Amino acid sequence: MEVQALSPEVIQDTETSIADDSIPAEAITSTFSSDCIDLISAPLSSRILSTSDEYFAAAPNLLTPTSPIRRQNHYVHTGAWFDGWETRRHNPSPYDWVIVKLGVASGIVRGVEIDTAFFDGNHAPEISVEGCFEIGDGADETVTMAKYASWRPLLGRRECGPSRRHGWIVHGETAPVTHARLLMWPDGGIARFRLYGVAVPVWPADREEEVELSAAVMGGVAVSCSDEHFGKRQNLLLPGRGKDMGDGWETRRSRGAGHVDWVVVRLGGRGVLSGVVVDTKDFRGNFPRGVRVEGGDFGDGEAGKWVEVLGERKVGPDGVWGWGVGEFGEGAVGRAFTHVRLVILPDGGVKRFRVFGVRA
């Protein structure tokens, strides 16, 4: 591990006056959920590359997608157990730090969340966040070098309180980043670190090559839904099949006749669809009775209507169902869409929803 250093100029940059960019804890989720994803969420394969110290609690806990938990009066060799990242006391350097590789090829940052849940008396007093864009062979090793000098501020130095969520809007960012560095001034503990933004997809050179247009790593975002009481809609677009029922989308039980639930996905790019997949892995007694899929071509400020892509289809428990263009509605064949809506009948849980196609 190499010691990361800041120049006096950079330290001065981080000590800027606090702008009016903070978000009340209760508004953090609603502020970012319709337009952004967490670019450093562990299920996207984001990972910690290096850290100054993690004596009391390991830095990878920062990227856990679920809320922090507490194990009161539970002790390990180093002391009390905490669900987060915690460093030693009396840091001789100005700050502790952790370097994170984004879970997408690159992303444009729109916001930051720092959760100090259950850290009270040992929480981080202040934080700042930096980013860089570094690709190619050896990029991960390059950004962890002490002499690396291409970090740029994403969020200046901000105060943190004990055991609470803190959120800030990042203004004016248009350049993508591939890595982020969280600075904790001077030491302490943080439970979760979220970096909200928009993934910048890497499109194949051949425009006719099929891609997963809905994938989070390709810029797909689940922008709205009817309900997400038991499981969040953004889980639908994650890579892989997940580990249990907790990382899918699940709605409340419905009680009224004719009820349906739905989720709207903004595709990573406008495209012509070639196939859709619904995965109900782990949903065994709570899967939907059926599904249908609709598409829409909605430009900025442009009105449009939903078109049937796939009529009602039956699905079952803990399995994968896929349909190709041969089963699409006539109005959807060869037509370009920007959004897709998955409707489940009448309610239940879906692990993943995948939409394939080519760029329009």
Side-chain angles (χ1 to χ4, degrees):
M1 179 189 72
E2 295 188 74
V3 176
Q4 298 281 323
L6 287 183
S7 67
E9 293 79 10
V10 174
I11 291 176
Q12 185 175 5
D13 286 342
T14 65
E15 294 176 340
T16 56
S17 60
I18 296 179
D20 186 19
D21 53 11
S22 63
I23 307 168
E26 63 274 12
I28 295 172
T29 300
S30 60
T31 298
F32 299 113
S33 63
S34 63
D35 293 306
C36 301
I37 63 171
D38 179 7
L39 298 169
I40 56 173
S41 178
L44 287 179
S45 299
S46 180
R47 58 193 177 92
I48 302 294
L49 296 182
S50 185
T51 182
S52 59
D53 184 82
E54 51 184 346
Y55 181 78
F56 288 111
N61 292 329
L62 290 169
L63 312 185
T64 303
T66 53
S67 298
I69 62 173
R70 185 182 186 186
R71 294 180 181 173
Q72 195 168 9
N73 299 321
H74 179 71
Y75 289 85
V76 294
H77 176 72
T78 55
W81 182 91
F82 279 90
D83 184 11
W85 170 49
E86 186 180 4
T87 65
R88 291 174 173 87
R89 294 186 184 221
H90 315 307
N91 184 13
S93 301
Y95 53 85
D96 276 314
W97 52 266
V98 62
I99 295 174
V100 186
K101 179 182 177 65
L102 270 61
V104 298
S106 66
I108 298 173
V109 177
R110 297 283 185 252
V112 171
E113 178 182 349
I114 297 293
D115 189 347
T116 57
F118 309 117
F119 287 96
D120 187 350
N122 57 344
H123 63 280
E126 295 179 304
I127 61 92
S128 58
V129 181
E130 300 169 330
C132 69
F133 187 88
E134 199 72 46
I135 58 175
D137 294 340
D140 292 348
E141 292 74 17
T142 297
V143 302
T144 60
M145 297 174 63
K147 63 182 180 181
Y148 185 71
S150 293
W151 293 108
R152 58 184 177 84
L154 296 175
L155 183 74
R157 204 158 158 180
R158 299 292 188 268
E159 291 184 6
C160 293
S163 197
R164 70 190 69 169
R165 295 175 70 189
H166 310 75
W168 300 274
I169 295 173
V170 174
H171 296 287
E173 277 297 318
T174 58
V177 299
T178 56
H179 301 76
R181 183 166 70 161
L182 170 63
L183 307 181
M184 177 165 59
W185 303 74
D187 52 42
I190 296 171
R192 296 291 186 267
F193 174 32
R194 317 281 192 214
L195 199 65
Y196 297 110
V198 179
V200 178
V202 178
W203 297 104
D206 181 1
R207 294 185 67 91
E208 297 302 312
E209 182 177 335
E210 184 182 69
V211 296
E212 188 180 338
L213 295 167
S214 59
V217 296
M218 296 301 291
V221 178
V223 296
S224 61
C225 67
S226 58
D227 183 84
E228 51 182 349
H229 186 77
F230 293 110
K232 300 302 182 183
R233 63 183 185 266
Q234 298 293 359
N235 291 334
L236 289 168
L237 311 183
L238 294 173
R241 300 189 69 202
K243 64 177 183 177
D244 55 36
M245 194 188 301
D247 57 11
W249 171 54
E250 186 181 2
T251 66
R252 294 175 174 87
R253 293 181 185 231
S254 61
R255 302 304 184 186
H259 180 86
V260 298
D261 280 315
W262 52 266
V263 61
V264 174
V265 175
R266 186 184 68 212
L267 303 175
R270 186 170 181 264
V272 177
L273 309 190
S274 59
V276 297
V277 171
V278 171
D279 186 349
T280 61
K281 178 180 180 289
D282 299 315
F283 291 97
R284 301 181 180 93
N286 50 352
F287 58 93
R289 186 185 70 241
V291 301
R292 68 173 185 261
V293 179
E294 301 162 340
D297 190 14
F298 307 125
D300 293 338
E302 181 181 325
K305 64 178 182 178
W306 292 106
V307 175
E308 180 183 286
V309 174
L310 188 74
E312 184 175 339
R313 295 292 192 276
K314 185 177 180 179
V315 296
D318 198 27
V320 179
W321 285 263
W323 302 272
V325 68
E327 298 183 72
F328 286 1
E330 184 177 345
V333 177
R335 186 168 181 170
F337 298 109
T338 57
H339 294 70
V340 173
R341 181 164 63 181
L342 171 66
V343 180
I344 60 174
L345 301 97
D347 55 41
V350 176
K351 177 59 74 75
R352 299 289 184 264
F353 176 48
R354 309 199 188 282
V355 180
F356 296 90
V358 298
R359 283 186 296 165

